[in-house]
Amino acid sequence: MDALPAGDEFLLDGPEGRHAAAVQRIGPGEELLLADGRGATAEAVVTAAGKNALTLTIRSRAYEPAPDPRLVVVQGIAKGDRGELAVQAMTEVGVDEIVPWAATRSVSRWRSERGDKARDRWIATAREAAKQSRRAWCPAIAGDPDESTRTVAARLGAAAAAFVLHEEAATALATAALPARGDVLLVVGPEGGIAPEEVAAFEEAGATPVRLGPTVLRTSTAGVAALSVLSARLGRWGP
C-alpha cells in the first residue's frame, strides 16, 4: 500500500481516487479511513469530490503495532481461483504472512512468468482484502514466486510454534500449546492433501500435526478456520 500523506490536505487520485469518486460515489462530508498497510492509519473527511479524485482533510492519525505472535500460513498452491479465495479470506481474519508452497500434490505449478503473475494476483488480492476489512497491516506474500518443501521445513524449524493441518492428527489445534510471542506457522495442504513424506519432513523440522474437527475442509477454507481458532486463543478476538 502507499504511504500516508504528510500534510493535513490530500488529493486522492489515480486508481484509488477514481474508484472512490466514480464507482463508490463518495462525496463531501463522508469519512474515510486511510492505511499504509504497515500499521499507520489516518481518519479523513472528504472536502471536495471531482470526477476522478477526492480532496481530503486529515483529522487524526494513529499507529497500530505489528501483531505478536505473528500468524503465518504456508498455503499449498491450489488450482483455479481457490488459492486467491484462501488469500482473501485469510487476510480478512487476520493472517500476517502467507507463504505459497509448491507441494507435491499441487495440481497448479508456478513456473517462470506464469508463477510471477500468480503471485502478483495473491498480492493484489491480499491488498484489496486488507482494505475491505480495514486492516492496519497488510499481510506479506512470501515466495519467489513460491517456496519449496525444504524451504518451508526450514521456516518451521525457526518458528516459535509450527503446526501441520492433517485429518489423521491426534492433537487438536484448539488444545495445542501456543507461544507468547514469535511466529506461529500453520501448514495447509493443496486439494490432494499433504504427502506422507512432506508430513514426515515437517515433523522432523519440529512441526506438530493437528486437526480442527471431525470434518475435512477444503484448501480454500482450512486456513481460515484454523486462523479463527488461533485468533480466539491468542486474544486477538474477544473482549
Side-chain angles (χ1 to χ4, degrees):
M1 293 187 184
D2 300 327
L4 294 181
D8 294 334
E9 298 292 331
F10 174 58
L11 180 66
L12 181 64
D13 54 8
E16 296 282 359
R18 188 178 309 111
H19 181 77
V23 179
Q24 295 184 306
R25 298 187 179 279
I26 295 175
E30 295 192 61
E31 297 180 349
L32 297 178
L33 178 65
L34 307 179
D36 67 354
R38 297 180 294 277
T41 60
E43 293 183 354
V45 61
V46 179
T47 55
K51 184 177 180 180
N52 295 308
L54 300 176
T55 301
L56 311 177
T57 296
I58 306 297
R59 286 185 169 177
S60 64
R61 298 175 184 271
Y63 180 79
E64 182 179 310
D68 189 21
R70 291 176 72 244
L71 298 179
V72 182
V73 174
V74 176
Q75 176 67 52
I77 296 173
K79 64 181 179 181
D81 62 354
R82 291 181 184 176
E84 290 168 49
L85 290 173
V87 170
Q88 179 185 48
M90 290 192 293
T91 298
E92 292 175 0
V93 298
V95 72
D96 298 303
E97 184 178 3
I98 301 172
V99 181
W101 169 39
T104 299
R105 295 177 178 173
S106 288
V107 176
S108 179
R109 296 292 172 179
W110 286 10
R111 295 193 175 110
S112 60
E113 185 178 352
R114 177 184 178 184
D116 292 333
K117 289 181 178 179
R119 180 175 177 272
D120 287 344
R121 286 195 296 271
W122 281 29
I123 292 172
T125 299
R127 175 189 173 101
E128 293 304 313
K131 290 191 295 183
Q132 177 67 32
S133 54
R134 300 182 182 180
R135 287 190 57 179
W137 286 88
C138 183
I141 305 297
D144 186 25
D146 53 25
E147 295 196 4
S148 66
T149 297
R150 178 181 296 180
T151 304
V152 169
R155 276 179 168 263
L156 296 174
F163 305 103
V164 180
L165 288 185
H166 199 279
E167 65 271 17
E168 297 179 2
T171 301
L173 182 60
T175 60
L178 299 177
R181 58 185 55 86
D183 284 359
V184 177
L185 263 69
L186 182 75
V187 180
V188 178
E191 299 95 326
I194 303 175
E197 59 270 21
E198 292 170 330
V199 175
F202 294 157
E203 285 189 277
E204 186 177 352
T208 301
V210 295
R211 55 179 169 77
L212 286 171
T215 59
V216 178
L217 302 181
R218 291 187 175 188
T219 185
S220 56
T221 56
V224 182
L227 286 169
S228 300
V229 173
L230 293 174
S231 294
R233 293 193 58 201
L234 292 171
R236 290 194 179 194
W237 291 3

